């Protein structure tokens, strides 16, 4: 029961908050995406009349931004994962007496110490975003990209010259803090620029290049080690990271845009209000004004010609604050969001795909050398399969997901629920456990090297296909806090991968490749299969859990609303 107050201002404020929260609980991604009469796609969010609104930018410019993001994703994991292929030579460099042939005991101890270079980087790639994402939400995407890649570039230069173990470890850990930011900020940027019906395809490019970055780094690093020492890997990669920094500073705009919240509120206020949150008619009523106010792509305003003065103005790092929410609330929200079942499920899917790939790469060099006598560069070339799998995953995770969601939207009278994307998880339900079984059985029984290599390709396919579907799903459901949602998912995944990387070698040593990866396959199948109950009851679950007391503090303010 609401508390009674004699203060009319407080009463009015309380009524407004209740109305805003009612709207947010009612919406949560349930929007009319197709016009009731014409069946044409409605642009969600509705673009403003401002030519500087990112939603009004030309498709060519939008895809230029997507291309820069993909390049940034490629470099995110190049130095984070690529040098793992040279684990043996790196160990012998830092610990000269640790030779696997003459002193295997010392070599085993030393490899464990060198592994901290990569596990520490992986941990900070995820955990560092608990600082970067609130900054991006409060002060903008552009300063986050520039500052994070500046740290990444400086650390790359540092690692080219540092020959001490402690100094190199410190450099790798700080590098992880800088390298991981773009991984979580990129989905927010994509949501800033692209409409709801375009998002799945572009997000699949993002997840693909994030996955390809690992394989690309491993392949190039392996080829470098044929005729050069392992430190040349850093000398090759650092200029490429620096190139991303230059592009981010000189040719990448701020994509965050402060929308007219009075207009968004007036659209919401037109809702008469009585039906429950699961009614399709409510979604239609809530978006009816937006349908009439949404301009068609052909009549969208065009950006004015860019002058030197305007260009120099665009080089500003900071453009003011984007929200009145406190940094404390922005820091805490991701922790609360992970309690929401859809977000937790998406995080678990990331963990059983990307996390288990971390398990594979943490000992892939040793596994292929033991089973097939491969040298490092030969192991690296096996990751060509990972690139192929990732590229095939682009249409399977993006275009397929959009088509599946659109098919269900048409059947639902033009109203889109985020869960309509979930049946597109079926391919990953098959390929993820199959990939882990092929890898584990292939290595254990020394089957043809193509068997575990196909497993590498399939697990990377699943990463692009499955994780893209589930990530777009939760972003659609909680769009105003897309950054915090992505952070909750990626942070959980990074922590899981970090812990798994410590225990994979021990697990394999005790149980063997077949049993260890067989258990991983069963866990992966069970987690991914949870898309079925979410598809059936997900809408009710989202609205019910949004009213949980523990979730109440993380409800977003109305200045975070974007019109969907």
């Amino acid at each position: 029961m609401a508390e009674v107050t004699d203060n009319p201002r407080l009463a009015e404020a309380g009524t407004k908050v209740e109305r805003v929260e009612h709207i947010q609980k009612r919406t949560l991604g349930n929007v009319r995406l197709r016009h009731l009469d014409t069946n044409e796609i409605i642009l969600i969010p509705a673009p403003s009349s401002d030519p500087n609104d990112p939603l009004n930018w030309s498709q060519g410019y939008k895809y230029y931004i997507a291309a820069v993001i993909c390049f940034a994703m490629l470099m995110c994991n190049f130095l984070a994962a690529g040098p793992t292929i040279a684990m043996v030579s790196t160990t012998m460099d830092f610990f000269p007496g640790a030779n696997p042939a003459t002193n295997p005991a010392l070599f085993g101890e030393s490899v464990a110490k060198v592994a901290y270079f990569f596990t520490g980087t992986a941990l900070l790639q995820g955990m560092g975003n608990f600082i970067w994402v609130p900054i991006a939400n409060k002060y903008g995407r552009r300063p986050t990209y520039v500052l994070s890649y500046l740290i990444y570039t400086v650390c790359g230069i540092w690692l080219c010259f540092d020959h001490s173990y402690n100094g190199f470890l410190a450099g790798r850990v700080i590098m992880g803090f800088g390298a991981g930011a773009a991984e979580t900020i990129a989905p927010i940027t994509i949501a800033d620029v692209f409409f709801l019906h375009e998002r799945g395809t572009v997000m699949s490019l993002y997840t693909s290049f994030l996955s390809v970055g690992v394989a690309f780094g491993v392949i190039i690093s392996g080829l470098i080690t044929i005729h050069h020492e392992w430190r040349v890997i850093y000398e090759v990669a650092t200029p490429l990271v620096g190139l991303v920094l230059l592009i981010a500073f000189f040719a990448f705009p701020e994509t965050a845009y402060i929308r007219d919240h009075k207009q968004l509120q007036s659209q919401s206020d037109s809702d008469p209000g009585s039906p429950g949150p699961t009614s399709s008619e409510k979604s239609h009523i809530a978006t009816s004004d937006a349908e009439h106010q949404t301009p068609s792509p052909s009549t969208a305003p065009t950006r004015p010609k860019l002058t030197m003065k305007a260009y120099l103005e665009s080089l500003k790092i900071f453009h003011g604050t984007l929200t009145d929410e406190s940094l404390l609330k922005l820091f805490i929200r991701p922790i609360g969001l992970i309690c929401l079942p859809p977000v937790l499920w998406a995080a678990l899917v990331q963990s059983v795909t990307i996390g288990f790939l971390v398990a594979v790469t943490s000992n892939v060099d040793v596994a292929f050398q033991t089973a097939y006598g491969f040298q490092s560069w030969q192991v690296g070339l096996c990751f060509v399969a990972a690139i192929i799998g990732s590229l095939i995953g682009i249409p399977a995770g993006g275009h397929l997901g959009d088509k599946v969601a659109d098919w269900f939207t048409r059947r639902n009278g033009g109203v889109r629920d985020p869960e309509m994307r979930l049946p597109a998880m079926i391919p990953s339900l098959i390929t993820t456990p199959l990939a882990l079984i092929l890898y584990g059985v292939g290595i254990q029984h020394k089957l043809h090297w193509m068997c575990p290599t196909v497993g590498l390709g399939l697990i990377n396919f699943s990463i692009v296909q499955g994780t893209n579907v589930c990530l777009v799903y939760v972003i659609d459901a909680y769009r105003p806090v897309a950054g915090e949602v992505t952070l909750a998912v990626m942070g959980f995944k990074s922590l899981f991968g970090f812990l798994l990387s410590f225990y994979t070698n021990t697990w394999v040593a005790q149980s063997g490749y077949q049993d260890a990866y067989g258990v991983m396959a069963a866990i992966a199948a069970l987690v991914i299969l949870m898309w079925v109950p979410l598809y059936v009851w997900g809408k009710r679950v989202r609205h019910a859990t949004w009213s949980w007391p523990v979730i109440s503090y993380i409800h977003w303010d109305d200045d975070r609303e974007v019109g969907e």
Side-chain angles (χ1 to χ4, degrees):
M1 183 175 179
E3 183 179 353
V4 178
T5 177
D6 294 329
N7 189 323
R9 289 187 177 181
L10 288 178
E12 181 182 356
T15 302
K16 182 177 180 181
V17 170
E18 287 180 7
R19 182 175 71 250
V20 170
E21 280 303 312
H22 170 72
I23 290 166
Q24 290 171 353
K25 287 187 290 185
R26 173 178 54 75
T27 306
L28 292 181
N30 305 118
V31 296
R32 173 165 292 283
L33 189 59
R34 287 189 173 272
H35 196 282
L36 187 62
D37 299 322
T38 65
N39 203 36
E40 293 181 356
I41 289 178
I42 300 168
L43 299 182
I44 304 293
S48 67
S49 58
D50 183 1
N52 292 314
D53 182 348
L55 294 173
N56 289 325
W57 293 347
S58 69
Q59 285 298 102
Y61 192 58
K62 288 182 179 183
Y63 279 100
Y64 158 75
I65 292 174
V68 174
I69 289 174
C70 288
F71 182 42
M73 293 307 101
L74 189 71
M75 298 313 301
C76 260
N77 286 321
F78 188 106
L79 274 180
T84 57
I85 202 69
M87 180 79 80
V88 174
S89 56
T90 303
T91 302
M92 294 176 67
D93 194 349
F94 280 102
F95 302 95
N99 190 304
T102 60
N103 196 341
L106 179 59
F107 176 77
E109 295 175 4
S110 303
V111 163
K113 294 179 181 178
V114 170
Y116 291 135
F117 292 161
F118 308 105
T119 55
T121 301
L123 179 64
L124 264 293
Q125 275 185 298
M127 297 298 103
N129 282 309
F130 283 92
I131 296 175
W132 288 121
V133 170
I135 291 174
N137 286 328
K138 185 77 172 179
Y139 302 109
R141 318 331 178 200
R142 178 173 162 77
T144 310
Y145 282 116
V146 172
L147 292 177
S148 64
Y149 266 87
L150 177 62
I151 293 173
Y152 194 178
T153 304
V154 170
C155 288
I157 297 172
W158 171 0
L159 295 171
C160 289
F161 298 99
D162 200 311
H163 289 258
S164 67
Y165 175 82
N166 291 332
F168 201 87
L169 178 60
R172 289 281 310 185
V173 169
I174 299 173
M175 185 190 78
F177 176 71
E183 178 180 347
T184 306
I185 305 302
I188 318 176
T189 305
I190 292 170
D192 288 340
V193 174
F194 290 91
F195 294 106
L196 175 61
H197 68 280
E198 302 171 321
R199 216 170 279 161
T201 299
V202 181
M203 280 290 293
S204 69
L205 293 172
Y206 152 77
T207 54
S208 175
F209 275 83
L210 195 60
S211 176
V212 167
V214 176
F216 181 69
V218 170
I219 292 170
I220 299 300
S221 298
L223 293 175
I224 288 173
T225 59
I226 297 176
H227 299 295
H228 303 278
E229 64 168 350
W230 62 270
R231 290 184 184 275
V232 177
I233 297 171
Y234 292 86
E235 296 170 5
V236 170
T238 300
L240 295 175
V241 176
L243 178 60
V244 176
L245 172 62
L246 293 176
I247 294 173
F249 184 81
F250 289 106
F252 196 84
E254 176 58 66
T255 60
Y257 182 79
I258 301 176
R259 304 200 171 276
D260 185 352
H261 300 293
K262 291 182 179 179
Q263 179 181 352
L264 295 175
Q265 188 62 50
S266 67
Q267 294 171 9
S268 300
D269 287 343
S270 64
D271 179 18
S274 54
T278 60
S279 168
S280 295
E281 287 186 354
K282 284 287 285 181
S283 298
H284 168 57
I285 293 170
T287 58
S288 59
D289 285 351
E291 293 176 15
H292 296 301
Q293 296 176 19
T294 301
S296 65
S298 60
T299 60
T302 56
R303 298 184 75 189
K305 186 177 180 180
L306 184 65
T307 62
M308 180 57 69
K309 181 179 179 181
Y311 171 69
L312 293 176
E313 179 72 14
S314 71
L315 293 181
K316 288 196 310 182
I317 299 297
F318 296 99
H319 294 263
T321 57
L322 303 174
T323 177
D324 292 331
E325 289 185 327
S326 67
L327 279 173
L328 177 62
K329 189 171 185 177
L330 294 174
F331 281 125
I332 293 175
R333 180 175 285 128
I335 301 173
L337 285 172
I338 200 67
C339 299
L340 296 172
V343 179
L344 177 60
W345 173 73
L348 290 172
V349 172
Q350 296 264 348
S351 298
V352 300
T353 51
I354 299 175
F356 286 160
L357 178 63
V358 171
V360 170
T361 55
S362 66
N363 73 346
V364 65
D365 196 20
V366 176
F368 274 82
Q369 284 189 12
T370 303
Y372 308 111
F374 278 15
Q375 298 180 32
S376 294
W377 66 271
Q378 292 173 307
V379 178
L381 288 178
C382 290
F383 278 80
V384 171
I387 294 178
I388 295 172
S390 298
L391 295 178
I392 296 174
I394 294 175
H399 189 64
L400 175 64
D402 286 341
K403 286 295 184 182
V404 169
D406 190 53
W407 187 79
F408 283 105
T409 301
R410 289 172 182 268
R411 293 192 62 187
N412 197 37
V415 176
R416 166 69 62 86
D417 294 334
E419 286 77 18
M420 292 176 179
R421 191 178 296 274
L422 293 181
M425 289 294 298
I426 292 175
S428 287
L429 178 60
I430 298 170
T431 57
T432 305
L434 178 60
L436 294 167
I437 291 171
L438 285 175
Y439 184 83
V441 172
I443 296 294
Q444 177 78 34
H445 298 282
K446 298 184 179 180
L447 303 180
H448 193 279
W449 61 268
M450 280 297 296
C451 183
T453 301
V454 169
L456 289 175
L458 289 177
I459 191 66
N460 279 270
F461 168 86
S462 301
I463 288 173
V464 176
Q465 200 276 331
T467 62
N468 183 69
V469 171
C470 68
L471 188 57
V472 176
Y473 161 58
V474 290
I475 288 176
D476 287 350
Y478 307 101
R479 168 63 186 92
V481 288
E484 290 97 319
V485 166
T486 307
L487 171 57
V489 171
M490 296 296 189
F492 186 94
K493 175 264 298 180
S494 295
L495 183 60
F496 181 86
F498 173 75
L499 295 174
L500 192 62
S501 64
F502 272 103
Y503 297 107
T504 299
N505 289 323
T506 304
W507 189 2
V508 168
Q510 293 177 348
S511 303
Y513 284 94
Q514 177 175 293
D515 290 348
Y517 284 94
V519 172
M520 292 183 199
I523 294 172
L526 180 63
V527 168
I528 296 174
L529 188 61
M530 294 305 294
W531 75 263
V532 176
L534 276 175
Y535 175 74
V536 177
W537 298 293
K539 186 174 181 178
R540 277 176 281 181
V541 167
R542 279 186 292 109
H543 290 287
T545 55
W546 191 244
S547 61
W548 284 354
V550 71
I551 302 299
S552 61
Y553 181 74
I554 66 170
H555 288 183
W556 57 80
D557 292 353
D558 58 350
D559 67 358
R560 295 292 299 277
E561 286 291 344
V562 293
E564 60 175 294

